[in-house]
Amino acid sequence: MKRELYLLVTFLVNVQPLVEFTNIKCDAVDPNFCNFEYCYLKSVNRTYKYYSLKANLFKIPVTKIKVNFAIYKFANGYKPFLYNVTVDGCKFLRNPKSNPIAGYVYGFFKDRSNVNHSCPYDHDIVMDKLSTQFFNDRVTKILPFPEGKYLFQMNWMASNTIRAVFKLYIQKS
Ligand SMILES: *[C@@H]1O[C@H](CO)[C@@H](O)[C@H](O)[C@H]1NC(C)=O
Ligand SMILES: *[C@@H]1O[C@H](CO)[C@@H](O)[C@H](O)[C@H]1NC(C)=O
Ligand SMILES: *[C@@H]1O[C@H](CO)[C@@H](O)[C@H](O)[C@H]1NC(C)=O
C-alpha cells in the first residue's frame, strides 16, 4: 500500500490548482437499509461551493459495513483510474492508519462528518458542507491529480450487498 501511494504521487503531475464539484448523486439502493434525507451541491458564490448529505439508517446499530470506493477519470466515458478498493469499514475505523489509501479518502470528510468514530453506528450519517476549497487543498497539495473530469464513487455494502451508492463528480483544471 505504501509503495502504491508512493508510485501514485510520483506518477501524477502538479498543475494549476482548481477543483470544482460538478454533480453529486446519492442512491439508496436498498430503501430498507437507508434513505437520503438530503444530498445536494450548493454554490454560495464563485469561490464557495459545497455539498451536504444526510443518510437515515434503518438497520441500527450498524456493526458491519464494507466500503468499496473507486476513482474514475473521464476519457470517452468514465474509465477506472488507479483505485477500486474495498475496506472493512469497522475494522478500518478502529485503526485509520492501517490503510493509507482509505485513510487519504477518509481525510476528505472525517472532520465534517459524524462518521468520525468507530462502530457501531446507531445514528444518522451527516456530511456537512464539504467545500471545494478543502478538496482543492488536499487534491493539489497532499496528492496532486492531473487535470480532467473525475468521478469518485463509494458503494456502501452490508452482507456483501450494495445498500447505497454515493457519487461525486469533480472537475480539476
Ligand atoms: C463567498 O461566501 C463566503 C461564505 O459566505 C464568504 O466568506 C466569502 O467571502 C464569499 N466570497 C466572495 C468572493 O464573495
Ligand atoms: C469496483 O469494481 C467492481 C468490479 O468491476 C465494480 O462492480 C464496482 O462497481 C467498482 N466499484 C466502484 C465503487 O465503482
Ligand atoms: C467527531 O466530529 C464531531 C463534530 O462533527 C466532534 O464533536 C467530535 O468530537 C468528533 N469525534 C471524534 C472522535 O473525533
Side-chain angles (χ1 to χ4, degrees), residues 93-113:
L93 286 163
R94 273 202 302 276
N95 182 11
K97 291 202 174 83
S98 61
N99 185 327
I101 294 162
Y104 177 69
V105 169
Y106 182 53
F108 278 104
F109 54 84
K110 74 172 164 66
D111 293 337
R112 300 218 142 256
S113 167

Side-chain angles (χ1 to χ4, degrees), residues 68-70 72 84 153-155 162:
N68 168 230
F69 61 85
Y72 297 83
N84 181 327
Q153 180 171 337
M154 244 179 180
N155 297 333
I162 296 179

Side-chain angles (χ1 to χ4, degrees), residues 78-119:
Y78 284 97
K79 302 285 159 51
F81 180 73
L82 298 169
Y83 295 126
N84 181 327
V85 176
T86 302
V87 294
D88 176 324
C90 291
K91 204 169 149 190
F92 168 75
L93 286 163
R94 273 202 302 276
N95 182 11
K97 291 202 174 83
S98 61
N99 185 327
I101 294 162
Y104 177 69
V105 169
Y106 182 53
F108 278 104
F109 54 84
K110 74 172 164 66
D111 293 337
R112 300 218 142 256
S113 167
N114 62 357
V115 184
N116 62 355
H117 63 80
S118 51
C119 297

